[in-house]
Amino acid sequence: MNIILLGPPGAGKGTQAQRLQQERGLVQLSTGDMLRAARSSGSELGGRVAAFMDSGSLVSDEVVISLIEEQLEKNPKVAGFIFDGFPRTTPQAKALDESLAHSGQKVDVVIRLKVDEQALIDRITRRFEAEGRADDNPEAFKKRLVAYNSQTAPLVEVYSGQGKLREIDGMADMEAVSASIARILDATLAEKSK
């Protein structure tokens, strides 16, 4: 089963994806984690990634899609993937569909974590103060939020039109969010097995 977790930066997608990995044996493909790894690698690609991230801009589709395809090839026999932070644009969604189709797969369900943006900004500011992660800089985060809203909002319509979109309250506590996701995945599996 292939799942997309959709929601702005800081919505809790990574936390939920990690739980799904442990509970369901899926592989989390977090573009944030992959980009941070590329950035710290010291490679030419890492330098390009750092420039995008430090400015608060989204990394180019070409770079992100290359990272995703590399992971799909490395994990051919897994139970499925959790796409966390990808796709962010309609062209990325099309590229993902094409990449999955090469191995006879597809996106099964898209779970949107609906959140309050001001609460997110407050959360990121606290996380930055506690952890000091460069990509959690509150000003860069606000730019990422604007980019998310302008570039990713069309995906809600795309996946809704495909009948794959499910929405949950991302501001609920972690256990409630996990329970909502579990119900959606169980219903999706039941539908697939019909």
Side-chain angles (χ1 to χ4, degrees):
M1 174 183 302
N2 294 312
I3 305 159
I4 294 173
L5 294 180
L6 196 60
K13 300 180 302 295
T15 299
Q16 294 301 326
Q18 288 173 2
R19 291 182 77 149
L20 290 171
Q21 272 192 133
Q22 295 166 354
E23 295 168 5
R24 300 201 180 230
L26 302 170
V27 173
Q28 176 189 13
L29 296 183
S30 162
T31 52
D33 290 347
M34 288 187 289
L35 292 169
R36 280 188 285 277
R39 174 193 184 130
S40 64
S41 71
S43 68
E44 182 270 334
L45 176 62
R48 289 171 50 203
V49 167
F52 282 111
M53 292 174 77
D54 291 345
S55 71
S57 302
L58 293 179
V59 177
S60 73
D61 286 359
E62 172 197 354
V63 170
V64 176
I65 290 164
S66 294
L67 291 169
I68 292 284
E69 287 178 343
E70 182 179 87
Q71 292 302 313
L72 292 175
E73 290 171 16
K74 283 184 181 175
N75 297 284
K77 298 186 190 280
V78 298
F81 294 95
I82 308 157
F83 296 95
D84 163 12
F86 182 88
R88 292 184 186 211
T89 64
T90 302
Q92 284 182 359
K94 289 179 183 172
L96 177 60
D97 286 344
E98 290 168 9
S99 295
L100 288 171
H102 287 299
S103 57
Q105 300 182 67
K106 65 180 174 115
V107 172
D108 294 296
V109 66
V110 178
I111 302 172
R112 179 181 180 210
L113 281 70
K114 295 179 73 173
V115 295
D116 174 83
E117 289 188 9
Q118 186 56 52
L120 274 188
I121 291 168
D122 295 344
R123 180 188 299 172
I124 290 300
T125 300
R126 285 192 303 274
R127 190 164 79 182
F128 177 71
E129 290 167 356
E131 298 174 21
R133 253 176 42 184
D135 59 319
D136 274 349
N137 172 306
E139 291 311 308
F141 176 78
K142 288 175 187 174
K143 290 181 186 176
R144 289 169 56 212
L145 198 54
V146 168
Y148 172 85
N149 285 327
S150 66
Q151 297 180 13
T152 308
L155 292 181
V156 172
E157 288 183 33
V158 168
Y159 289 120
S160 180
Q162 294 176 5
K164 295 179 181 178
L165 183 72
R166 307 292 181 271
E167 296 184 328
I168 62 172
D169 177 8
M171 298 307 292
D173 70 64
M174 192 186 325
E175 296 303 322
V177 171
S178 294
S180 295
I181 291 172
R183 283 191 294 276
I184 290 168
L185 297 184
D186 291 343
T188 303
L189 282 171
E191 191 63 36
K192 278 182 76 165
S193 64
K194 284 186 182 177

